[in-house]
Amino acid sequence: MCSSATLRQGLDTGRYRRGLDAAATAALVPACAINTGDDTMRTGRQLIAMRLLAGSAAILMHPDAALAQQEVSPAAQEDVSQDIVVTGVRGAQQKAINVKRDATQIVDSIAAEDIGKLPDATIADSLQRVPGVQITRSAGEGASLNIRGLGQVLTTLNGEQFLGASNITGAQPNLTDVPSELFAGVDVIKSPTARNLSGGVSGIVDLKTRRPFDLPKGLTASVSGQHVYGNRTKDWSQQYSALVGWNNGRFGGLLAVAYDDLTLSNQRPSITNGIRKTTDRAAGFDTRGDGDITNSTLRADGDYFYNPVAFEMSNSITDRQRLGANASAQYQITDSLQLIGDLAYTRLRNRDTGVSAVLHNNFSDNAYQSSSIIDGNGVLEVGDANLFRFHTSTINNYTKARSLNTNVELRFDDGGPFTASARWVQADSKSSYISGNVDAWATRSILVPRSSSVADCTATPASCVYGNPGGLPSVLASIDFRNHYPAVSFASDVTNPALYSLTSTWAFGNRSEAQLDAYRLDGAYRVSDDGLLRKLQFGGRYGTRDVSNDAFRLLSPISFGGTPYLYYFKDATGINRVNGLNRSLVPVRKFADIPGLTTMATGFGPITGIPALPAINPTALNDVRQFNEALFPGTREFANPTQSYRVDSRDVAAYLQADVGGRLIVPFTGNVGLRYARNSLDIFTNPADGIAFVGLNANNGVQLALPTVKYKNDSDFWLPNANLNFELASDMRLRFAFAKVVGTYDLATLGQGFAFSYVINGSRTFNGQPLPSDLKRFNSGSAGNPSLKLPQSTNYNVSYEWYFSRNSILSVAAFLFDVKSFLQTNTAIEAQPDEDDVVREGGPVTRPANGKGGVIKGVEIGLQTTFDYLPGLLSGFGTQLNYTLSDSSSSNVDLFGRTLPVPDNSRHQVNAVVFYQKGPFQGRIAMNYRSKRFNGLTPAGSDNLAVFTKPTNYLDASLSYDVTPRFTVYVQGTNLTQENEERYAQFKNFYLDQAIFERRVLGGVRIRL
């Protein structure tokens, strides 16, 4: 009878040589494996039959099932047994399978197929191939993720905490910050051990950089370059990377650099400025054609419709420059001491620019006409509108961020029972953001007094002027939401630049900084090789993380009678009734007066019916401060205290873990551990005075803060966990895992003060009485909650894994998260004052809170295999398939009182990858499907509507050819079907917005030295 080790050596390690047929492969199987009397031994023919059976079984279990491509970098060093090293996607799959099989916990892994070559455009894009991992996108690139439907994911760098660049305050770094070429692979840890850091409820994503001892002895070098073309931007982007490393077995050094200069389509047509609930009487017609015209908002009466305030169509693009560098050194000081040093640097420059065409009803109830089509639920399907307001809106948002993470580690291992390591991690990160915004109206707006002595423009119109003189009285337009993309048609000519003026401009931003220090000691003592207690592991960690966010607004002085008044929102159509003023001080600037700032904006497709429109050129706002200074000399930056805060965090942790092994009918290994974690937060927030302000008024300036308030939020946790792995046969594992876990929050949810916004009243009344049309009414507010408790969960996992050949695995896993409390965003109508300090209707205020707990449960089914036993060219094929079912419930309910799932969780997820590798040629097609997902609630009058994203299905492909063993050319396409993400509110035909992503095709070369 074969031992497990012998059989594994024969079946699963370097014995399957590339290019050997099935008979030759079978001949290499140890003779003891051909023993039909032992059900753990398989003949070569049985292996082939079972491989086919496994593939068929997985497909039958779910015909659309797909397995994530978990691609791992090829073995870097030559195999001393002279076996052929398998590279490319086959080698990657082989490595990923080995990581999963040899892990002491439940892990999935991906890695680079070659140096500087993860299989997808970003790390997050590659991670979406892993069972249970669901991602969100920024300008089409993967940005963040959740695991098995829960977003509380801890992201680490080489096993330790790190700081990203642009999302400093977030619980999870933005994965668009870091070039994927710097990483050798990523582990997705689904069942933690006591040794792992706490902070991830659903799991841990560990990013792994290369180190010099991972490379062959001597010199290793690799360079690559590629050009990328987007079918919407019609622009070419560049990406370059290089790595050089050297080691002699005693000392090694490595430097990797990657630079991306990308232009990405970032269009997002959307319903904006809220949704009103308009009755038949207010609309002036029978909205649903039921013969009744009432003033009822009761659903049972059906005499209202949901009235989108504005529909905005953009042509936005994102220019993203990413620079990343990783330096690493390893020194074997003695045979028992090794010193490791790492530096990871990231720099990001991200500019979002664009022009939007905005069809706006100016918060009125009677803009939509009786020819509009409204369904039985009150959803506007076709809106025929006479709009008092039409404008183009220009944005220019710029983010500048950088981070530097350092790691110094000393390892001791003299071959004896005791091993240890000491580690110091230090990081600092800085990020700044500024947003410039301009509205240019084509409609004339309201009559504005020319002097403060005019009380009523209706009575004395000759003493007044329109906010946009020469503009259209209104715009006739129609919006049809019934097709995949909305369609717009105009009955008014909105293309004449003479109609337009620069009506309003405003700018704001923030600066964030963070510092991180962590000190940890880890030790292990090997007790025995064959007893129940195999090893004791223990350690402690102390960490600090200090984060500050300083927000600001740009205020501009505008004089009246020699007295300057400071404005944030500089609007020529607004009337200011402060300090005896009864007029607008903001000058009117027609487009003819500012020719150097204007353009004709195009590129609104795939939304049809929008002509070239006059607008302020987004490039004019590349320097936002200079732009505002040129229009309004003396513009200055003023702190915005309600959006500013500081959080100081202190973490203390200690753990004890026992590694065990033995035999309970079958051999088993595992670990049982306990981790203690204490988190201390000092939260400094700035409550607003509410009355005192800098600027024309509280909305048009910045509020003055009351003295800073310090909150303490301390918590500690005892976190037991256990992982048991049973070796049912040499090629089968059955794993059980249990863990109590605790997560983290975005610090903005803790530190943000009360912030609010106003909107112009328009034609609204209060208690039947008319109000000034220009009165600024409270619109909405938001605030943080320094008393939030950290999220906690008890997680259970079971996994069955069958490694039926070296390159193959069939796995089935079940999981359950028993979450103690979900973070819940509560939005409720609060009695807040309007600009004139009179409390009327108030408006929605959003605050985070600890909601009720719930359960997320589901299963994962996966198959990875290669068909190298097939004859000829067919032997080059392989596949990776997986399917995840993630069922969840939360304390949120929809309009009909139905329980809603956890936000951003898709109940069904499917991945399918088919690859081919034969000789110098390699190809791959990958599909990722997500079913619909709940995003949150949006207010619509007195209703809260559930927002969902429709199902998505992304298709990517790649081809490469090794011209020589050291020179490769390749092409790759992402989002080949031009998939986009569409959200709806409660009803599938209630269009809310779309993220329209482009197809991107790249070609490049890779050189290895």
Side-chain angles (χ1 to χ4, degrees):
M1 182 180 294
C2 287
S3 69
S4 298
T6 303
L7 186 65
R8 182 160 54 248
Q9 181 184 19
L11 298 181
D12 299 337
T13 59
R15 302 292 185 186
Y16 286 128
R17 295 187 175 92
R18 182 171 57 181
L20 296 183
D21 60 21
T25 301
L28 295 174
V29 177
C32 61
I34 310 175
N35 181 352
T36 56
D38 187 335
D39 62 2
T40 65
M41 310 305 172
R42 311 292 188 224
T43 66
R45 290 181 180 178
Q46 286 173 318
L47 280 170
I48 294 172
M50 287 186 295
R51 192 184 295 201
L52 290 170
L53 177 63
S56 301
I59 294 171
L60 288 172
M61 279 185 280
H62 196 286
D64 296 325
L67 183 67
Q69 176 158 1
Q70 300 170 18
E71 299 163 334
V72 185
S73 57
Q77 301 187 31
E78 295 184 7
D79 193 316
V80 295
S81 67
Q82 301 303 311
D83 286 342
I84 295 173
V85 176
V86 182
T87 59
V89 64
R90 284 171 173 261
Q93 177 171 298
Q94 192 177 102
K95 258 303 188 56
I97 290 173
N98 289 340
V99 169
K100 186 175 182 70
R101 178 179 54 200
D102 297 337
T104 61
Q105 56 209 120
I106 298 175
V107 173
D108 285 297
S109 182
I110 59 169
E113 297 173 18
D114 202 349
I115 293 174
K117 177 63 174 66
L118 274 174
D120 292 282
T122 70
I123 295 169
D125 289 332
S126 290
L127 283 169
Q128 72 180 322
R129 317 292 177 200
V130 173
V133 174
Q134 302 168 347
I135 71 168
T136 59
R137 290 172 167 81
S138 168
E141 292 192 319
S144 61
L145 56 92
N146 64 44
I147 298 176
R148 293 168 166 176
L150 197 57
Q152 293 289 338
V153 178
L154 174 67
T155 305
T156 59
L157 180 65
N158 296 321
E160 250 298 339
Q161 188 177 8
F162 81 107
L163 288 178
S166 63
N167 189 24
I168 293 175
T169 66
Q172 184 182 142
N174 190 332
L175 295 179
T176 62
D177 291 353
V178 286
S180 62
E181 296 90 342
L182 297 182
F183 295 93
V186 187
D187 288 339
V188 180
I189 300 169
K190 297 178 178 178
S191 66
T193 66
R195 196 177 190 278
N196 292 128
L197 294 185
S198 55
V201 174
S202 56
I204 301 170
V205 170
D206 186 33
L207 310 178
K208 300 184 296 185
T209 59
R210 295 184 186 273
R211 285 172 171 162
F213 286 0
D214 299 333
L215 303 175
K217 287 185 179 180
L219 179 67
T220 299
S222 173
V223 295
S224 69
Q226 60 192 34
H227 281 240
V228 190
Y229 181 78
N231 74 305
R232 295 200 183 279
T233 57
K234 310 295 184 184
D235 199 358
W236 287 93
S237 301
Q238 294 77 44
Q239 296 177 289
Y240 306 100
S241 67
L243 178 144
V244 59
W246 178 85
N247 89 79
N248 63 2
R250 189 80 173 182
F251 175 80
L254 177 151
L255 175 65
V257 179
Y259 176 73
D260 301 341
D261 188 354
L262 305 173
T263 300
L264 307 164
S265 176
N266 196 16
Q267 293 173 278
R268 197 177 189 98
S270 60
I271 299 297
T272 59
N273 290 126
I275 302 168
R276 297 170 65 80
K277 194 175 179 183
T278 297
T279 64
D280 290 358
R281 184 176 300 173
F285 64 95
D286 185 0
T287 60
R288 304 195 203 180
D290 60 4
D292 245 348
I293 298 182
T294 72
N295 207 36
S296 172
T297 59
L298 296 178
R299 178 166 180 79
D301 293 339
D303 293 319
Y304 65 88
F305 79 105
Y306 295 110
N307 178 357
V309 172
F311 178 55
E312 183 171 339
M313 301 144 288
S314 71
N315 63 1
S316 300
I317 62 171
T318 294
D319 291 306
R320 184 172 289 162
Q321 291 85 42
R322 230 176 351 225
L323 174 65
N326 171 47
S328 181
Q330 286 178 281
Y331 177 40
Q332 196 69 40
I333 303 171
T334 68
D335 290 343
S336 58
L337 281 177
Q338 183 182 127
L339 182 65
I340 301 172
D342 300 301
L343 287 174
Y345 174 79
T346 299
R347 189 193 74 189
L348 179 74
R349 302 290 186 266
N350 196 92
R351 188 180 295 277
D352 296 320
T353 57
V355 173
S356 296
V358 185
L359 299 170
H360 203 298
N361 68 24
N362 213 41
F363 304 97
S364 65
D365 287 317
N366 58 1
Y368 291 105
Q369 309 300 298
S370 59
S371 55
S372 300
I373 299 175
I374 298 169
D375 79 352
N377 292 311
V379 175
L380 183 74
E381 294 185 321
V382 178
D384 294 331
N386 183 22
L387 300 168
F388 175 69
R389 176 175 171 185
F390 175 81
H391 68 269
T392 55
S393 181
T394 299
I395 63 161
N396 192 314
N397 302 330
Y398 182 58
T399 299
K400 181 172 69 174
R402 66 101 178 135
S403 67
L404 179 64
N405 289 264
T406 63
N407 170 70
V408 179
E409 186 175 357
L410 183 65
R411 296 178 179 176
F412 170 78
D413 185 354
D414 63 354
F418 177 72
T419 58
S421 66
R423 189 171 183 179
W424 171 53
V425 172
Q426 196 279 333
D428 73 271
S429 183
K430 291 184 179 181
S431 174
S432 65
Y433 170 82
I434 188 166
S435 175
N437 305 265
V438 178
D439 284 349
W441 284 37
T443 45
R444 65 191 186 188
S445 185
I446 60 174
L447 285 168
V448 179
R450 291 181 177 179
S451 70
S452 58
S453 62
V454 179
D456 187 356
C457 284
T458 304
T460 56
S463 301
C464 300
V465 65
Y466 285 106
N468 174 30
L472 294 171
S474 64
V475 166
L476 295 173
S478 179
I479 319 167
D480 189 341
F481 295 107
R482 294 174 298 183
N483 298 312
H484 183 61
Y485 296 111
V488 179
S489 60
F490 289 95
S492 302
D493 183 7
V494 291
T495 63
N496 185 359
L499 299 173
Y500 288 78
S501 69
L502 190 160
T503 309
S504 54
T505 180
W506 67 102
F508 61 94
N510 69 279
R511 300 181 187 88
S512 300
E513 295 187 13
Q515 291 80 39
L516 167 72
D517 280 279
Y519 309 87
R520 63 180 292 173
L521 293 171
D522 298 278
Y525 185 80
R526 188 174 69 251
V527 178
S528 69
D529 292 328
D530 53 9
L532 176 63
L533 179 60
R534 304 289 176 87
K535 183 190 291 185
L536 284 175
Q537 298 192 57
F538 45 86
R541 181 183 185 277
Y542 174 73
T544 65
R545 181 187 177 202
D546 300 332
V547 179
S548 64
N549 183 73
D550 297 311
F552 61 85
R553 286 178 167 182
L554 297 188
L555 303 188
S556 303
I558 301 175
S559 295
F560 175 69
T563 303
Y565 293 90
L566 290 173
Y567 279 70
Y568 163 61
F569 188 78
K570 299 168 284 294
D571 185 358
T573 67
I575 302 172
N576 306 119
R577 293 187 173 90
V578 178
N579 299 334
L581 299 180
N582 191 38
R583 55 162 293 182
S584 173
L585 304 186
V586 180
V588 174
R589 290 182 169 94
K590 298 296 290 186
F591 272 22
D593 302 326
I594 49 172
L597 301 181
T598 64
T599 188
M600 293 298 290
T602 59
F604 296 98
I607 308 300
T608 60
I610 308 174
L613 294 172
I616 299 299
N617 195 328
T619 61
L621 282 80
N622 280 348
D623 189 327
V624 175
R625 292 178 175 83
Q626 184 181 63
F627 174 83
N628 280 272
E629 174 67 22
L631 293 174
F632 305 101
T635 296
R636 290 174 50 201
E637 181 181 301
F638 286 82
N640 186 10
T642 61
Q643 298 292 300
S644 303
Y645 54 87
R646 190 178 98 235
V647 179
D648 297 340
S649 175
R650 303 290 179 268
D651 294 290
V652 177
Y655 72 91
L656 178 64
Q657 178 176 309
D659 294 355
V660 297
R663 187 177 185 89
L664 289 174
I665 304 177
V666 296
F668 75 90
T669 58
N671 53 74
V672 180
L674 179 66
R675 185 178 186 87
Y676 171 76
R678 177 173 179 79
N679 176 251
S680 300
L681 296 174
D682 291 337
I683 303 162
F684 301 87
T685 185
N686 301 298
D689 183 280
I691 299 175
F693 50 84
V694 174
L696 189 67
N697 50 54
N699 183 57
N700 224 341
V702 292
Q703 293 176 279
L704 293 179
L706 297 170
T708 299
V709 176
K710 176 182 176 182
Y711 296 89
K712 290 193 70 66
N713 189 333
D714 298 342
S715 54
D716 58 352
F717 307 91
W718 292 95
L719 305 172
N721 55 67
N723 292 271
L724 290 177
N725 311 310
F726 293 91
E727 188 175 340
L728 303 181
S730 62
D731 54 1
M732 295 185 187
R733 303 284 188 275
L734 180 63
R735 304 179 190 266
F736 296 93
F738 155 83
K740 286 195 172 183
V741 293
V742 62
T744 57
Y745 286 134
D746 188 318
L747 298 182
T749 62
L750 301 170
Q752 180 180 307
F754 184 72
F756 52 82
S757 66
Y758 291 94
V759 296
I760 297 174
N761 182 72
S763 60
R764 279 190 288 177
T765 62
F766 181 67
N767 290 336
Q769 299 299 314
L771 293 171
S773 60
D774 62 306
L775 175 65
K776 292 184 176 64
R777 302 284 300 277
F778 181 84
N779 181 52
S780 63
S782 63
N785 182 355
S787 300
L788 283 174
K789 300 301 180 185
L790 294 180
Q792 302 175 60
S793 179
T794 303
N795 297 351
Y796 304 89
N797 288 275
V798 59
S799 174
Y800 167 78
E801 302 157 9
W802 179 23
Y803 301 89
F804 54 91
S805 79
R806 183 188 185 191
N807 292 319
S808 303
I809 176 178
L810 172 67
S811 63
V812 180
F815 58 89
L816 186 148
F817 300 155
D818 186 2
V819 182
K820 184 176 180 180
S821 173
F822 287 111
L823 179 64
Q824 182 171 310
T825 301
N826 292 336
T827 300
I829 302 297
E830 295 186 7
Q832 299 290 340
D834 295 329
E835 182 195 38
D836 58 0
D837 290 328
V838 176
V839 176
R840 295 182 178 90
E841 296 169 325
V845 177
T846 301
R847 304 177 190 271
N850 290 108
K852 296 179 181 178
V855 170
I856 300 176
K857 58 184 181 297
V859 295
E860 296 170 348
I861 302 171
L863 170 70
Q864 299 182 66
T865 190
T866 56
F867 302 110
D868 49 2
Y869 50 84
L870 294 177
L873 295 176
L874 295 177
S875 63
F877 282 102
T879 188
Q880 301 173 338
L881 309 169
N882 68 50
Y883 164 73
T884 303
L885 169 68
S886 182
D887 192 21
S888 68
S889 62
S890 70
S891 56
N892 293 307
V893 294
D894 71 0
L895 180 65
F896 305 101
R898 295 175 299 210
T899 299
L900 292 165
V902 172
D904 201 38
N905 173 43
S906 292
R907 193 169 191 267
H908 302 283
Q909 178 185 345
V910 176
N911 284 291
V913 179
V914 177
F915 62 86
Y916 185 85
Q917 183 177 346
K918 196 73 172 177
F921 177 80
Q922 180 172 301
R924 170 178 175 265
I925 298 176
M927 180 272 288
N928 173 264
Y929 169 82
R930 289 186 66 177
S931 62
K932 75 172 185 179
R933 58 191 186 270
F934 169 63
N935 298 114
L937 299 170
T938 186
S942 57
D943 295 338
N944 274 326
L945 306 181
V947 177
F948 290 91
T949 299
K950 291 183 177 180
T952 56
N953 195 4
Y954 288 89
L955 184 67
D956 307 318
S958 62
L959 295 171
S960 67
Y961 184 80
D962 296 331
V963 180
T964 73
R966 298 184 182 276
F967 180 73
T968 300
V969 295
Y970 57 90
V971 293
Q972 182 173 328
T974 61
N975 194 21
L976 294 176
T977 57
Q978 300 187 72
E979 182 67 284
N980 61 81
E981 299 186 356
E982 180 180 339
R983 299 197 307 165
Y984 62 90
Q986 192 67 56
F987 309 101
K988 289 184 179 180
N989 63 330
F990 195 158
Y991 181 95
L992 195 62
D993 58 38
Q994 278 176 295
I996 298 175
F997 304 134
E998 63 184 343
R999 178 194 300 123
R1000 296 178 64 78
V1001 179
L1002 64 86
V1005 298
R1006 185 176 299 107
I1007 302 172
R1008 296 169 291 277
L1009 303 177

